[in-house]
């Protein structure tokens, strides 16, 4: 019997069977993070992010270092699970496996390589069940951080390229192990790393260690297919290179666009606009400020042999465009607006609400009576606070129009969210009828 967890002989992380994988001395080197009394329910319920304010004491010599495996225990020292420690971040431990899971999957207990294999394997299996990849879609999210129980790790698949976005120190530490797992997935030939530098600095990772790593055999530009539409993507473009989260919402637009005049604001590489044309829209305008994004959008029109008479792109600020369109008394049957993240933190929620209201008020005015507005927010603070519908109502009042809500969606199903970690939900996509 291990002496690690005194008085708790019934729990798995203290049981003898763990000795089958790890030697006693190794286990004895694992520190134990004991939570304050009354602070452990959140984590027992599944939230993986143990913030330092919840920690009472850390038992173990020498003290754990960033990236080390630690046990997490409640106020009575009863283990809750194990995770990866960070000595700098406000998140002291990211819980990787809970006690009951360790009992069911003993091989993964306290073993990061095995755990990665299990979790990545489960993620691949889940996407297969969701039909990803398929004959018409080969761009999707394979690992969605907490939603796939790998907090801090995002992996997007674009054809035979896996793009790994790290936002946790442990991901950087176990790079080789992660890469080994990903490279074993069928059809993956290239792996690129896109570290989230600002977040990783807060995780205590030395910024000089953080470089984008692009597989030397992998071209910078690639082609993917989503919903049967081809896209040129830049693997050095925004975020991982392509936003797979709107896939189902884009597809929805293709279903309602027949014969319609469509405006796609903040269109990036034209996803909604292209789906509208595919769905039979007669006149589609995309607007964005980013030149590289618009170049991709135009390339996408050609790639899909779409009639350039029916789809055009303009480089302009969305607000400027909307105001001048209003002054020309122009209107659209369907308007889509997918602005960049306007509320990066809760602190700026109030001022961001005003920006969302103003943008949406203009978008509502540009929508014909009886027309549709698909409006999005990718600000976690807005989505989680649940205030978007109120903002939209404010925007409608400001515009002197009436709206009804037809559809409320988020990110596509390959972006799972753990309800015990609601901070994982960021995207809101609301379809309004505008009267
Ligand atoms: C499409 O709509 C725009 C904006 O209203 C207009 O300028 C353009 O002439 C239209 N194109 C066609 C082919 O109708
Ligand atoms: C603006 O357009 C609407 C129809 O779209 C029309 O009924 C109205 O008279 C126009 N107003 C002006 C000032 O041109």
């Amino acid at each position: 019997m291990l002496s690690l967890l005194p008085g708790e002989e019934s729990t798995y992380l203290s049981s003898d069977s763990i000795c089958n994988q790890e030697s006693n001395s190794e286990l004895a080197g694992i520190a134990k993070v004991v939570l304050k009394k009354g602070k452990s329910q959140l984590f027992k319920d599944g939230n993986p992010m143990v913030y330092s304010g919840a920690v009472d004491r850390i038992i173990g010599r020498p003290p754990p270092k960033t990236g080390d495996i630690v046990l997490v225990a409640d106020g009575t020292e009863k283990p809750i699970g194990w995770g990866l420690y960070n000595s700098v971040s406000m998140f002291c431990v990211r819980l990787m496996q809970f006690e009951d899971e360790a009992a069911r999957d003993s091989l993964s207990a306290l073993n990061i390589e095995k755990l990665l294999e299990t979790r990545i394997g489960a993620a691949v299996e889940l996407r297969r069940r969701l039909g990803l990849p398929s004959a018409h879609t080969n761009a999707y999210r394979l690992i969605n951080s907490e939603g796939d129980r790998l907090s801090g790790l995002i992996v997007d698949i674009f054809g035979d390229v896996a793009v790994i976005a790290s936002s946790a120190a442990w991901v950087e530490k176990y790079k080789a192990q992660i890469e080994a797992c990903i490279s074993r997935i069928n059809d993956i030939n290239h792996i690129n790393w896109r570290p989230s530098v600002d977040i990783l600095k807060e995780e205590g990772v030395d910024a000089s260690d953080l470089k984008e790593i692009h597989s030397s055999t992998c071209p910078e530009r690639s082609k993917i297919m989503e919903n049967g539409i081809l896209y040129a993507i830049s693997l050095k473009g925004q975020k991982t290179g392509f936003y797979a989260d709107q896939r189902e919402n884009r597809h929805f637009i293709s279903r309602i666009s027949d014969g319609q005049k469509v405006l796609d604001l903040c269109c990036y590489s034209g996803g909604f606009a292209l789906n509208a044309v595919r769905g039979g829209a007669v006149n589609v305008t995309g607007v964005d400020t980013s030149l590289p994004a618009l170049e991709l959008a135009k390339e996408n029109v050609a790639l899909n042999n779409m009639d350039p008479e029916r789809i055009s792109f303009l480089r302009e600020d969305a607000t400027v465009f909307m105001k001048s369109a209003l002054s020309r008394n122009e209107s659209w049957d369907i308007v889509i607006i997918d602005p960049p993240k306007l509320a990066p933190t809760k602190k700026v929620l109030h001022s961001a609400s005003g920006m969302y209201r103003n943008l949406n008020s203009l978008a509502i005015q540009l929508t014909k009576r009886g027309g549709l507005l698909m409006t999005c927010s990718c600000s976690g603070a807005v989505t989680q606070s649940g205030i978007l519908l109120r903002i939209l109502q404010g925007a409608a009042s400001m515009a002197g129009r009436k709206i009804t809500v037809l559809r409320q969606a988020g990110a596509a199903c390959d972006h799972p969210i753990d309800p015990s970690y609601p901070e994982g939900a960021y995207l809101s996509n609301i379809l309004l009828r505008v009267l």
Side-chain angles (χ1 to χ4, degrees):
M1 192 68 216
L2 297 176
S3 57
L4 236 196
L5 305 159
E8 269 313 326
E9 296 169 15
S10 59
T11 53
Y12 184 78
L13 288 175
S14 61
S15 78
D16 278 328
S17 47
I18 206 129
C19 299
N20 298 337
Q21 289 94 50
E22 304 270 339
S23 81
N24 233 325
S25 60
E26 259 178 300
L27 254 185
I30 294 178
K32 183 155 54 158
V33 175
V34 180
L35 302 179
K36 288 179 182 154
K37 290 225 160 65
K39 290 275 189 194
S40 56
Q41 196 56 46
L42 181 64
F43 312 108
K44 285 181 178 168
D45 286 343
N47 187 313
M49 301 287 250
V50 179
Y51 56 95
S52 27
V55 174
D56 183 60
R57 60 189 186 278
I58 298 173
I59 304 170
R61 289 267 158 254
K65 297 186 301 297
T66 291
D68 282 355
I69 288 176
V70 292
L71 292 168
V72 176
D74 69 11
T76 67
E77 294 195 20
K78 183 174 167 355
I80 294 171
W82 65 273
L84 297 162
Y85 183 74
N86 190 313
S87 62
V88 175
S89 166
M90 63 181 285
F91 298 110
C92 179
V93 183
R94 289 176 196 250
L95 275 160
M96 302 304 284
Q97 196 184 37
F98 293 96
E99 174 66 24
D100 58 325
E101 297 172 311
R104 266 182 283 118
D105 178 11
S106 56
L107 286 176
S108 299
L110 304 171
N111 182 330
I112 191 70
E113 272 172 54
K114 277 280 170 219
L115 184 89
L116 280 167
E117 219 172 88
T118 306
R119 293 274 155 84
I120 293 173
V124 169
E125 174 58 24
L126 172 62
R127 273 56 179 188
R128 281 201 188 121
R129 295 192 59 169
L130 297 172
L132 293 166
S134 72
H136 13 253
T137 298
N138 66 3
Y140 59 98
R141 178 148 295 183
L142 177 68
I143 310 276
N144 195 41
S145 200
E146 291 80 15
D148 285 292
R149 308 287 317 284
L150 290 168
S151 176
L153 176 65
I154 282 178
V155 181
D156 279 348
I157 304 292
F158 302 132
D160 69 345
V161 184
V163 179
I164 305 179
S166 57
S167 61
W170 76 266
V171 175
E172 293 293 314
K173 173 168 174 172
Y174 296 103
K175 238 175 175 152
Q177 291 85 345
I178 292 167
E179 217 170 298
C181 281
I182 300 289
S183 61
R184 282 199 295 271
I185 300 170
N186 282 349
D187 306 328
I188 300 300
N189 295 322
H190 312 283
I191 296 178
N192 291 350
W193 284 85
R194 311 255 345 232
S196 304
V197 175
D198 291 340
I199 303 176
L200 286 168
K201 278 186 202 158
E202 282 172 31
E203 285 266 308
V205 179
D206 187 349
S208 62
D209 292 344
L210 293 173
K211 279 189 288 289
E212 296 213 346
I213 304 171
H214 293 267
S215 149
S216 56
T217 53
C218 176
E220 189 187 314
R221 301 265 277 186
S222 186
K223 254 182 254 166
I224 55 111
M225 186 187 269
E226 181 195 82
N227 301 332
I229 295 175
L230 291 165
Y231 292 82
I233 64 166
S234 163
L235 291 166
K236 292 190 172 164
Q238 293 177 25
K239 293 284 172 99
T240 57
F242 185 77
Y243 296 94
D245 52 359
Q246 295 273 26
R247 180 178 54 254
E248 292 162 2
N249 302 321
R250 290 186 191 119
H251 181 63
F252 188 86
I253 285 294
S254 78
R255 286 170 42 206
I256 58 170
S257 293
D258 195 25
Q260 306 291 292
K261 183 179 172 193
V262 178
L263 175 62
D264 181 3
L265 295 159
C266 311
C267 67
Y268 190 49
S269 62
F272 285 110
L274 296 161
N275 275 275
V277 172
R278 182 53 58 84
V282 289
N283 182 328
V284 180
T285 305
V287 178
D288 204 285
T289 51
S290 158
L291 202 54
L294 292 174
E295 276 167 7
L296 289 173
K298 287 174 187 167
E299 207 175 321
N300 294 338
V301 171
L303 267 179
N304 293 285
N305 299 314
M306 286 176 179
D307 179 1
E309 292 280 295
R310 281 167 61 198
I311 179 167
S312 56
F313 292 96
L314 270 176
R315 186 181 187 197
E316 205 161 353
D317 172 74
T319 300
V320 172
F321 176 88
M322 288 195 282
K323 284 184 173 162
S324 76
L326 265 181
S327 71
R328 295 190 304 267
N329 197 23
E330 268 199 73
S331 58
W332 281 265
D333 301 304
I334 298 175
V335 176
I336 299 133
I337 182 162
D338 185 11
K341 199 193 270 187
L342 300 175
T345 62
K346 273 189 201 152
K347 270 189 215 137
V348 298
L349 190 55
H350 185 75
S351 59
S353 300
M355 291 194 267
Y356 279 112
R357 190 196 53 222
N358 294 345
L359 277 174
N360 280 289
S361 171
L362 288 168
I364 286 169
Q365 292 173 70
L366 290 181
T367 309
K368 287 185 182 157
R369 288 191 194 276
L372 303 177
L373 169 63
M374 181 177 270
T375 184
C376 312
S377 167
C378 59
S379 302
V382 170
T383 294
Q384 291 147 34
S385 62
I387 59 170
L388 189 53
L389 288 184
R390 239 176 303 146
I391 294 175
L392 294 174
Q393 180 46 54
S397 298
M398 208 170 139
R401 305 282 292 271
K402 182 98 188 71
I403 53 170
T404 49
V405 179
L406 307 183
R407 179 178 183 268
Q408 299 189 58
C413 61
D414 49 339
H415 295 64
I417 289 159
D418 182 343
S420 57
Y421 186 71
E423 292 85 350
Y426 61 95
L427 184 65
S428 297
N429 179 301
I430 312 270
L431 184 69
L432 302 173
R433 182 177 194 225
V434 180
L435 292 167

